[in-house]
Amino acid sequence: MEWSSEAGAVMRKVPFFVKKRVRKKVEAYVAQQGRGTVTVDDVYAVKKGYMENMEKEVAGFRVENCFGPGGCPNRAGPDEDLAGRIESLLAGSDLRGFLKKTVNGPLKFHHEFTVTLADCPNACSRPQIRDIGIIGAAVPGLTDNPCSMCGQCVEICREDAVTLDENRQMPQIDVSRCLDCGQCAGVCPTQTIQTIQRCYKVLLGGKLGRHPRLARPLPGCYDADQVLDIVGRCVDFYKQHSTGGKRFAQLAAENGPELMAALEDLIHYQKKG
Ligand code: SF4
Ligand code: SF4
Ligand code: SF4
């Protein structure tokens, strides 16, 4: 679908948290009329209807993903549809029904429980400012394969986490600096460095607004089933404690130890080779 430059300019002013939905609706509206180009009038027509029916559009939750599944070469996490599984989980949690009962007045998009996935530490989808942020990780480890000391791993690492030990003729990875992007393993011609685990890091309790807060990372790296377990428990926690539309991030800030206790048996620590 093509967009005229005027339509694109209007679209850029739509708030980021509804932009994807509005774009989809505009394109569906234009396609329905058998046209292939979006004009500025189409954007205004759809935007008007959308704002007038905002409460009906509030699903109670939102799951977003970066462009990783579309073929981004930086993708580091497991190759699977975790976003789809989270969406199904949240769809079965009746978050809209919960919000209808607890929020005073009409529902707004900012009431929605948000989960955002980024498939690598570049974090393009901004998981740090969502209720739950998930970041795909490729954990590097050393094998017994001899190193050719070519230096490509050192060169590609943006965190300065890799050094070469001239005496042992081996690389060393500083795990305190490493972000698990997997780039060093990707360029190593001898597979001295390999990806030993593909998993997800989980951040809890981020938000923007009047009192912004960056989501805090849980220790460890998790598989999809474990992430779903964490998301499920966070939703339970949210439904047990939230009143009057209070956001999960605020609960996480106010009841941090209680939230961690609810997750305690799920939290584990990352092992690196
Ligand atoms: S977060 Fe990483 S994988 Fe996702 S779009 Fe950005 S660079 Fe690509
Ligand atoms: S996985 Fe770690 S050590 Fe390797 S390039 Fe990424 S940040 Fe550097
Ligand atoms: S670990 Fe691999 S990329 Fe790094 S210097 Fe050795 S052979 Fe080259």
Side-chain angles (χ1 to χ4, degrees):
M1 178 74 62
E2 278 186 33
W3 284 65
S4 72
S5 53
E6 293 87 356
V10 173
M11 194 63 207
R12 279 193 284 281
K13 291 183 192 148
V14 172
F16 74 91
F17 54 93
V18 289
K19 197 171 274 189
K20 209 164 140 194
R21 279 189 244 202
V22 173
R23 175 176 281 277
K24 222 166 141 187
K25 279 185 180 292
V26 172
E27 293 190 345
Y29 172 81
V30 174
Q32 216 173 29
Q33 297 175 34
R35 292 185 284 117
T37 304
V38 178
T39 67
V40 72
D41 290 341
D42 296 324
V43 182
Y44 283 134
V46 172
K47 198 175 154 197
K48 186 167 176 286
Y50 194 63
M51 297 317 276
E52 281 168 1
N53 293 302
M54 187 191 281
E55 194 182 32
K56 280 197 214 132
E57 300 282 346
V58 176
F61 68 89
R62 196 160 71 240
V63 180
E64 302 155 331
N65 210 144
C66 71
F67 300 116
C72 178
N74 295 328
R75 202 171 186 199
D79 186 9
E80 59 194 349
D81 183 20
L82 179 59
R85 291 182 68 191
I86 293 173
E87 192 129 15
S88 302
L89 173 78
L90 297 184
S93 301
D94 191 24
L95 283 158
R96 180 180 161 86
F98 171 74
L99 288 172
K100 283 290 277 178
K101 270 190 252 153
T102 54
V103 170
N104 302 320
L107 299 187
K108 305 251 170 65
F109 289 117
H110 69 256
H111 292 126
E112 290 186 322
F113 191 95
T114 55
V115 180
T116 291
L117 281 88
D119 287 334
C120 87
N122 287 345
C124 302
S125 49
R126 302 191 280 186
Q128 300 91 343
I129 54 168
R130 302 295 194 250
D131 292 314
I132 301 181
I134 298 164
I135 299 180
V139 182
L142 304 184
T143 68
D144 292 334
N145 291 355
C147 167
S148 68
M149 301 294 275
C150 69
Q152 291 185 71
C153 51
V154 176
E155 205 172 308
I156 203 158
C157 181
R158 290 160 63 183
E159 311 308 320
D160 293 331
V162 190
T163 48
L164 295 178
D165 183 333
E166 297 285 344
N167 295 328
R168 291 172 59 231
Q169 295 279 291
M170 282 292 283
Q172 287 181 323
I173 297 174
D174 180 346
V175 295
S176 67
R177 301 180 81 105
C178 174
L179 293 183
D180 299 319
C181 68
Q183 297 285 320
C184 52
V187 296
C188 179
T190 57
Q191 299 192 316
T192 308
I193 302 180
Q194 280 183 18
T195 293
I196 56 170
Q197 188 188 9
R198 290 192 189 272
C199 48
Y200 303 98
K201 296 183 181 179
V202 180
L203 297 81
L204 300 180
K207 72 182 199 61
L208 289 178
R210 287 162 73 98
H211 302 285
R213 180 181 194 266
L214 285 184
R216 311 285 204 273
L218 292 180
C221 205
Y222 302 87
D223 66 26
D225 290 341
Q226 292 165 330
V227 172
L228 285 166
D229 219 342
I230 293 169
V231 172
R233 287 202 205 178
C234 287
V235 169
D236 290 345
F237 186 87
Y238 168 68
K239 287 170 85 173
Q240 279 160 20
H241 294 82
S242 175
T243 51
K246 194 180 262 194
R247 292 284 305 271
F248 178 73
Q250 202 176 336
L251 294 174
E254 291 170 2
N255 306 72
E258 216 179 316
L259 174 61
M260 292 310 282
L263 300 172
E264 187 58 40
D265 59 307
L266 296 178
I267 295 172
H268 62 80
Y269 291 84
Q270 193 169 348
K271 296 187 188 87
K272 291 196 180 188

